[in-house]
Amino acid sequence: MAREALTDITGLKRYAAVGLLTAVVLSLVPLAAWAARSWRAHHLPPQVVRQLPYPRLDFPLQIANTQYIPLGFADIPSWTEDDHLAAYRAFRTSCRPIAAQPPQPIDDKALGSSLRDPCRLARETDINDAATARLFFERHFVPLQISRLGEGDGFVTGYYEPVLDGSRTQTDIYNVPVYRRPSNLFVRGYSQDAPNLPNKGSVYRKIGRRKLVPYYDRAQIEDGAIAGRGLEICWLKNPTDLLFAQIQGSARIRLADGSTVRINYDAHNGYPYTAVGRVLIERGIIPKEQMSMQKIREWMEQNPDGAKDVRRQNRSYVFFREVQLSDKDEPVGAQGVPLTPGRSIAVDNSLHVYGTPFFIEGELPIDSAQSRTPFHRLMIAQDTGSAIVGPARADLYFGAGADAGKVSGRLRHSMHFVMLVPKGIDPVERGRKMPLPDPRPSEKIARLFPQPEPAKQLPKEEVKQQAKDQPKEQAGAQVKDQVKDQAKDQFKDQPKDQKAATPATVSTVAQATSPTAAGVPLPEPRPKIAPETELPRHHYIRRYHHSR
């Protein structure tokens, strides 16, 4: 009995040890799972959760029809050779209206309101040397080489403020009127007395209370459509002087008593601008390589009748306003600040924000028409124009007078454009946060799903020429014969049991002649397989229920 009791006690101890061990193991299972999750989180890459469909994400910096390359300041040619102090002063001038603008939560332009931070720093610091000014731009901006999509360089022209002779009253010599904005000129979305109207878009003439019609074009205005309404600011000698003042957007009118009338752009009649220089080139009057504003003026003065017709090819017409500026003041640009000769540029205001710095580099005929003067200058966007369209397109302002007109009149050159972007929207830094696309499929999967090669398309000229050389009936007969031969060959190569499943020749011709099925191979017909016999399961179920 004692031996049996000892055996029972030993068994109980074993059972107790096994139970205790099992309890310990079960208690350690959550701890092991937690340790595995912790190790997996620290050692394995995180799983990317794909949202389908993919969410629409904004690019780091997006400008319509534009390509850009991030650069370093050391990569910009002749960056250190420029006078950055002059550029800094022009930038501070642009900062006044930028700081006065209220923050806009939604802006369709790439830079938006990002220039507010650099402008705040520029207004807080007073820089008096070029080296410190250069460090300011390098610390607060990122350079991007910018151009139109598919192109390498930008394009520049020049403009200036002409100085013209005029009179406050109409005389036999001064008989070309300079008009202010008419009261019946209407732009949708703007009041008729708005101080700043857009230089692009539709403009209407308001008749009565509700009726709107397109405004008069240049020919109608020159023929007197708005004459006699008291809109004349002053009078000029000839229509060529007025045309050049309208192209430049401002002018200084010298009166007989020695005083000067300053006029500036106020509105336009809604028609797109057509360059008279292009018209003269297309008509073969002035060769393209000799085109300049001086050549246009000389030809128009020598051919007044032909000049009238060429001038009216540009249906756009500009209205001015008189501004109270002294002879020492520069004209006011579209940003509302005085322009700086050699530092202010006009840009496409639908893409760029006023105040944006651009470093423009290349060679320009500054000294003479044949010279290739190195040009590398940091310039500030402070103006715009109806002919300035594109991301890397600029009009360089050179000042007032005949000398500035000679330089600006011979500029039509390709240049390198580098836009300085505030570091707050650095596209390189923001690009690192963009999610990567899914990996490409493996070669094995690609072989399982081969893609047919696209059919080669002939140029339109060759297709038209072949269609002319070959009659329609003959061309259609040849196509049908070729398709029939291909269908017969395909039918011969198939097994006998599959020939019955092959579609008819007529349908094959229709499919082959269609443009979508020309390069896609037809699949093999599906083989006929007899269905397997299945037991009537429901009968057995009924019998089972019946037996119960």
Side-chain angles (χ1 to χ4, degrees):
M1 293 290 294
R3 184 178 297 177
E4 292 179 357
L6 182 62
T7 304
D8 293 341
I9 293 173
T10 305
L12 290 174
K13 289 182 177 180
R14 289 178 179 175
Y15 283 123
V18 172
L20 181 62
L21 181 62
T22 303
V24 171
V25 171
L26 292 177
S27 65
L28 292 176
V29 168
L31 183 61
W34 174 83
R37 289 194 300 268
S38 178
W39 182 89
R40 195 179 297 113
H42 289 82
H43 293 81
L44 296 181
Q47 294 182 357
V48 180
V49 179
R50 296 294 182 186
Q51 300 180 12
L52 295 177
Y54 288 108
R56 184 175 180 180
L57 301 174
D58 294 333
F59 286 96
L61 183 66
Q62 190 171 5
I63 305 175
N65 197 24
T66 304
Q67 62 187 19
Y68 59 85
I69 303 174
L71 299 175
F73 284 99
D75 302 327
I76 303 176
S78 306
W79 165 255
T80 58
E81 300 176 10
D82 188 26
D83 182 10
H84 294 84
L85 182 59
Y88 172 79
R89 290 171 177 169
F91 177 72
R92 285 194 67 180
T93 303
S94 287
C95 286
R96 290 199 298 267
I98 292 175
Q101 290 178 352
Q104 299 178 359
I106 299 176
D107 198 327
D108 55 349
K109 300 177 184 178
L111 297 190
S113 59
S114 61
L115 288 172
R116 293 175 64 89
D117 292 337
C119 279
R120 177 178 54 81
L121 296 172
R123 292 174 64 84
E124 292 176 355
T125 58
D126 189 11
I127 298 176
N128 297 316
D129 60 284
T132 308
R134 177 169 59 85
L135 291 177
F136 171 83
F137 288 109
E138 293 178 354
R139 287 173 181 172
H140 304 295
F141 290 91
V142 176
L144 298 178
Q145 182 177 341
I146 187 173
S147 62
R148 190 188 294 270
L149 193 63
E151 300 178 2
D153 296 332
F155 188 75
V156 301
T157 52
Y159 75 111
Y160 72 109
E161 187 180 23
V163 180
L164 307 172
D165 294 329
S167 173
R168 284 286 191 181
T169 58
Q170 183 180 10
T171 64
D172 294 337
I173 300 176
Y174 302 103
N175 54 10
V176 178
V178 178
Y179 290 123
R180 61 173 53 91
R181 187 204 308 180
S183 59
N184 63 343
L185 187 144
F186 182 78
V187 180
R188 286 178 175 171
Y190 294 84
S191 61
Q192 288 181 278
D193 57 349
N196 296 317
L197 293 180
N199 63 341
K200 298 175 184 177
S202 300
V203 177
Y204 301 94
R205 177 165 49 95
K206 199 170 185 179
I207 301 178
R209 292 185 177 181
R210 297 183 179 180
K211 188 175 181 180
L212 298 177
V213 296
Y215 207 81
Y216 302 114
D217 64 359
R218 177 177 291 275
Q220 293 172 319
I221 295 175
E222 289 185 353
D223 289 339
I226 60 175
R229 297 175 52 185
L231 300 175
E232 297 82 1
I233 299 175
C234 57
W235 303 79
L236 302 179
K237 284 184 177 180
N238 56 68
T240 304
D241 288 344
L242 176 62
L243 175 65
F244 274 73
Q246 292 175 332
I247 293 174
Q248 305 305 319
S250 63
R252 303 186 183 196
I253 312 301
R254 293 181 304 196
L255 304 180
D257 58 0
S259 61
T260 302
V261 177
R262 304 288 297 274
I263 57 175
N264 208 352
Y265 173 92
D266 191 28
H268 76 123
N269 63 342
Y271 292 91
Y273 171 77
T274 301
V276 294
R278 187 188 312 158
V279 176
L280 294 173
I281 293 174
E282 292 175 353
R283 296 185 178 183
I285 298 175
I286 299 177
K288 183 177 181 180
E289 57 274 7
Q290 299 179 10
M291 177 56 63
S292 66
M293 281 192 259
Q294 287 74 25
K295 290 288 185 180
I296 296 175
R297 178 179 286 276
E298 292 174 1
W299 183 85
M300 286 188 169
E301 291 177 353
Q302 297 172 3
N303 303 273
D305 295 336
K308 180 179 179 180
D309 177 64
V310 171
R311 190 173 59 250
R312 295 189 175 192
Q313 299 302 312
N314 176 29
R315 302 180 68 186
S316 175
Y317 195 92
V318 171
F319 301 101
F320 293 93
R321 70 176 184 271
E322 186 175 354
V323 292
Q324 302 300 322
L325 296 174
S326 65
D327 294 342
K328 297 180 180 179
D329 296 330
E330 294 293 337
V332 178
Q335 192 186 9
V337 299
L339 301 178
T340 303
R343 294 293 170 180
S344 298
I345 58 174
V347 297
D348 189 347
N349 65 337
S350 65
L351 301 177
H352 298 301
V353 177
Y354 291 133
T356 304
F358 287 87
F359 188 79
I360 301 177
E361 187 269 332
E363 294 180 343
L364 294 176
I366 301 295
D367 298 333
S368 64
Q370 290 76 26
S371 65
R372 302 179 62 180
T373 307
F375 188 92
H376 38 77
R377 197 170 294 182
L378 184 61
M379 312 187 80
I380 311 300
Q382 296 176 335
D383 204 356
T384 188
S386 59
I388 312 302
V389 180
R393 174 73 173 91
D395 214 6
L396 315 184
Y397 176 68
F398 284 94
D403 294 337
K406 291 179 181 178
V407 175
S408 59
R410 51 180 178 249
L411 296 190
R412 292 182 59 86
H413 292 73
S414 298
M415 302 285 282
H416 300 292
F417 276 69
V418 177
M419 182 173 68
L420 300 191
V421 178
K423 282 192 174 181
I425 55 171
D426 183 1
V428 177
E429 186 65 27
R430 296 174 68 181
R432 295 190 179 100
K433 301 178 183 179
M434 290 285 292
L436 296 177
D438 292 337
R440 296 183 62 182
S442 62
E443 296 182 1
K444 182 178 180 180
I445 297 178
R447 286 196 298 268
L448 293 176
F449 300 94
Q451 299 295 325
E453 296 183 0
K456 295 182 178 179
Q457 297 182 356
L458 295 176
K460 294 182 179 180
E461 297 179 356
E462 296 186 10
V463 174
K464 292 181 180 180
Q465 188 64 30
Q466 291 181 3
K468 290 181 180 179
D469 298 341
Q470 197 172 25
K472 294 183 179 180
E473 298 178 356
Q474 183 179 357
Q478 288 184 0
V479 172
K480 290 182 179 180
D481 293 341
Q482 292 177 1
V483 174
K484 287 182 179 179
D485 294 340
Q486 293 178 1
K488 290 179 181 179
D489 295 339
Q490 183 178 2
F491 187 78
K492 289 179 181 179
D493 296 338
Q494 291 180 353
K496 293 183 179 180
D497 56 348
Q498 295 182 7
K499 288 184 179 180
T502 306
T505 307
V506 178
S507 61
T508 307
V509 171
Q511 292 180 0
T513 52
S514 63
T516 57
V520 180
L522 296 176
E524 296 182 359
R526 180 180 295 178
K528 292 185 178 180
I529 301 176
E532 297 181 358
T533 57
E534 296 183 358
L535 295 176
R537 187 177 178 181
H538 55 278
H539 293 298
Y540 287 94
I541 294 174
R542 289 178 183 176
R543 292 176 186 176
Y544 173 74
H545 285 289
H546 181 72
S547 63
R548 292 182 64 184

